[in-house]
Amino acid sequence: MRDHSEVLDRIRRGLLYTESEASFQDPLRRADLVFEYNATPPGDGERRRALLERILGSVGARTVLLSPFHAGFGSNVHIGDDFFGNVNLTFVDDVEIRIGDGVMIAPSVTLTTTGHPIHPGLREDFRRFSEPIVIEDKVWIGSNVVVLPGVRIGYGSVIGAGSVVSRDVPPMSVALGVPARVVRQITDADLRPPGR
């Protein structure tokens, strides 16, 4: 059995590694289980929950994850309590994605922990780097958002639809755009219902 500690160390440090070097991790991929989950009727909550527990690294109580969803591994995704993930949520989870409690994610969002070098000479054998993503409690992510490697989205924040999040977002902030920028803080004035 080969010692893969050097490759794992590079992965943990966000340094470049190749598909071939990381292939020893393939048994951690849950592609068949993800396929089975996506083919399971929405009304079969018990079966869907059992599959999620086998797919994800950890999953909290009262989790809703609508089909279809996609995951590179699945086993590197950790979801807290009271999570709602809408259709077409994609986890590119070569390293950990940690999602807190009370998080809502709208349709067609991509959370990608992995990127590739700019220069084509460095992209042979799908060379890449990976950095974890953290989404803290009570975050709401709008439709068609992309969250890039190494990003932390702080407690209670809102990410506007169509945004590309390339840097950390502080707690209780509204961020939007390409690239996403903080446009304002969330305050008690936001406790008023919309339209009033």
Side-chain angles (χ1 to χ4, degrees):
M1 183 181 207
R2 268 182 71 195
D3 178 15
H4 302 293
S5 59
E6 188 272 333
V7 175
L8 287 170
D9 182 60
R10 270 191 282 138
I11 293 170
R12 276 191 289 270
R13 293 171 51 210
L15 302 176
L16 294 177
Y17 64 98
T18 68
E19 179 74 17
S20 297
E21 290 173 327
S23 63
F24 68 90
Q25 296 187 98
D26 285 348
L28 298 174
R29 293 183 185 273
R30 305 291 187 250
D32 288 344
L33 292 172
V34 171
F35 181 87
E36 188 177 343
Y37 182 89
N38 288 332
T40 302
D44 193 349
E46 190 174 308
R47 176 75 181 136
R48 288 168 70 86
R49 175 66 192 196
L51 284 165
L52 265 191
E53 289 176 358
R54 292 174 61 200
I55 294 166
L56 302 180
S58 61
V59 57
R62 298 169 303 280
T63 294
V64 176
L65 181 54
L66 300 184
S67 301
F69 87 96
H70 312 279
F73 284 84
S75 57
N76 288 325
V77 176
H78 301 271
I79 293 176
D81 296 338
D82 301 308
F83 171 82
F84 181 85
N86 215 314
V87 296
N88 293 318
L89 176 54
T90 298
F91 301 107
V92 182
D93 62 320
D94 291 58
V95 296
E96 284 191 344
I97 296 173
R98 293 212 164 258
I99 299 173
D101 298 336
V103 170
M104 298 188 307
I105 299 182
S108 300
V109 168
T110 298
L111 308 176
T112 180
T113 65
T114 296
H116 301 276
I118 298 297
H119 196 287
L122 292 176
R123 291 197 301 262
E124 68 274 356
D125 194 12
F126 307 107
R127 186 172 281 135
R128 59 192 178 261
F129 64 90
S130 299
E131 297 177 286
I133 289 172
V134 176
I135 299 171
E136 295 181 4
D137 297 348
K138 306 286 188 185
V139 167
W140 172 27
I141 298 177
S143 297
N144 296 300
V145 167
V146 177
V147 179
L148 295 177
V151 165
R152 174 182 286 267
I153 300 175
Y155 173 90
S157 288
V158 174
I159 309 299
S163 298
V164 176
V165 186
S166 59
R167 67 184 100 182
D168 291 355
V169 175
M172 296 296 284
S173 301
V174 176
L176 53 90
V178 180
R181 296 194 188 322
V182 173
V183 295
R184 70 179 184 88
Q185 294 300 300
I186 297 169
T187 69
D188 286 350
D190 293 300
L191 289 169
R192 287 193 310 268
R196 293 196 178 219

